[in-house]
Amino acid sequence: MKRRHFCGYLMLFLVGCNQPIFDSLNQPSASESRLNIEQIRLTITDIHDPENLRKNYESFRQELEILIGVPVEFLVVNNPIEAASALRLNQVDIALAGPSEYVVITSRTNAVPLVGITRPNYYSIIATKTPNNINNLSNLKGKAIALSDIGSTSGHLGPMKLLMDAGLNPASDVEILMLRDEGSIQALKQGKVAAWGGSAVDYATFLNSQENFPILAQTVSLPSDILMVSSQIDPETVAGIRALITSNAESLITALAQGEATQKYRGSKLVEVRDSDYDFIRQVYQQIGEGNLIKQ
């Protein structure tokens, strides 16, 4: 069986406790906290182009500016490693990160989570194409599987966790092809691979047929995206920003979901987050030989 080496893939990506990271019941109100900050530099860790950043997150930026009462400006980063460096070097104040990016960033910084942002219908699926003799994940041993984006929680790490839970070693028992969204879907449809792994949203959008593309396995709901704040901002200001955000959750989510690429946040909620919810991502990185990405 040809082993797929993930090191090259993940270099392109560059990229527990059981207690809540914060307790909303004990947070001071916005009026009780003084915001010792004159501006906020905001980055979105999975958007690397200034035009796309403005196109998809300008309404969110404007709403943050209104809520917090100081100018908010975008700062573009090229990957989670760069985002971590920017947070550590006081070049970024707030970052919006996906689950896998959160794990990479927290392994390199003391950035403080503000709130989690849920994503409706956010889980991973592995599906196959009929007719074939594949009825469960164990039948995939020795076969090729198409996944989407390197480092994506739903399109890469979630499906890898499903394979691991089924007793398959993703590095040796199957051939993993990282083909991005469109390429991975087409590979399944054209019969070039035995199975496809990706998000439930992509399955519903591009496959959505239990008769022709039966689901072999799916994860539980994946952990939330996270708004993170630099550890160099004083705790009173962090508490004040959190209070402003949580007390204006509806308007913030509405603004966040205005972009074409941010429709995934329609119906989202702001929630407390537990670091232990992200342990499965750490486990997958270790299993595929990329634990160096998340070394403390």
Side-chain angles (χ1 to χ4, degrees):
M1 179 64 204
K2 181 179 178 181
R3 173 172 176 168
R4 307 299 297 181
H5 295 284
F6 284 90
C7 182
Y9 289 144
L10 286 168
M11 285 304 292
L12 291 175
F13 169 61
L14 270 187
V15 276
C17 62
N18 290 325
Q19 295 300 316
I21 292 175
F22 70 88
D23 183 349
S24 62
L25 296 178
N26 295 323
Q27 293 300 313
S29 67
S31 61
E32 293 173 335
S33 297
R34 179 176 180 272
L35 301 188
N36 185 28
I37 193 168
E38 295 182 354
Q39 68 167 349
I40 287 176
R41 295 158 296 180
L42 169 69
T43 193
I44 312 298
T45 59
D46 65 349
I47 300 289
H48 315 309
D49 175 77
E51 182 177 350
N52 284 338
L53 191 58
R54 288 190 295 271
K55 178 181 177 181
N56 290 290
Y57 287 91
E58 177 61 18
S59 294
F60 178 63
R61 184 201 66 78
Q62 291 178 359
E63 187 65 19
L64 273 180
E65 194 168 75
I66 292 170
L67 294 181
I68 300 174
V70 299
V72 176
E73 63 179 38
F74 285 130
L75 189 142
V76 178
V77 296
N78 294 313
N79 51 65
I81 306 296
E82 189 172 310
S85 295
L87 283 162
R88 190 173 61 249
L89 297 173
N90 197 28
Q91 296 170 346
V92 162
D93 302 301
I94 294 179
L96 174 57
S100 65
E101 296 150 343
Y102 163 78
V103 168
V104 172
I105 291 171
T106 54
S107 71
R108 289 166 165 75
T109 74
N110 293 318
V112 180
L114 283 171
V115 292
I117 305 175
T118 65
R119 287 167 55 176
N121 204 31
Y122 189 38
Y123 55 93
S124 297
I125 282 173
I126 293 181
T128 188
K129 179 184 179 182
T130 57
N132 60 32
N133 295 319
I134 299 173
N135 301 309
N136 54 60
L137 293 184
S138 63
N139 297 147
L140 294 176
K141 188 170 183 177
K143 295 181 169 58
I145 303 171
L147 304 183
S148 59
D149 295 312
I150 300 164
S152 164
T153 303
S154 60
H156 180 198
L157 304 179
M160 297 289 269
K161 181 63 163 60
L162 288 172
L163 294 173
M164 290 163 53
D165 288 347
L168 296 172
N169 185 334
S172 59
D173 290 338
V174 294
E175 182 179 12
I176 302 295
L177 303 176
M178 303 303 300
L179 302 177
R180 304 186 67 84
D181 290 346
E182 183 177 349
S184 62
I185 292 288
Q186 290 304 313
L188 180 65
K189 287 183 174 180
Q190 295 168 8
K192 295 179 179 179
V193 294
W196 165 89
S199 72
V201 172
D202 283 350
Y203 178 85
T205 302
F206 301 112
L207 298 174
N208 196 25
S209 170
Q210 285 282 352
E211 180 179 352
N212 297 323
F213 302 101
I215 294 174
L216 297 174
Q218 65 184 51
T219 65
V220 298
S221 293
L222 296 169
S224 304
D225 290 358
I226 297 183
L227 275 176
M228 311 173 69
V229 64
S230 168
S231 61
Q232 300 190 47
I233 297 177
D234 68 88
E236 186 177 8
T237 296
V238 172
I241 292 173
R242 182 181 291 127
L244 287 166
I245 288 174
T246 55
S247 62
N248 293 277
E250 185 175 350
S251 63
L252 191 67
I253 292 299
T254 298
L256 181 58
Q258 292 300 305
E260 180 180 349
T262 60
Q263 293 299 298
K264 60 188 178 183
Y265 294 114
R266 291 179 64 88
S268 291
K269 296 180 179 179
L270 300 187
V271 296
E272 296 178 0
V273 291
R274 297 176 186 270
D275 185 74
S276 59
D277 291 341
Y278 302 81
D279 282 347
F280 91 88
I281 295 174
R282 299 179 176 102
Q283 293 167 4
V284 172
Y285 275 133
Q286 294 288 349
Q287 179 68 33
I288 65 177
E290 296 300 334
N292 61 304
L293 282 173
I294 55 170
K295 283 184 178 179
Q296 298 289 341

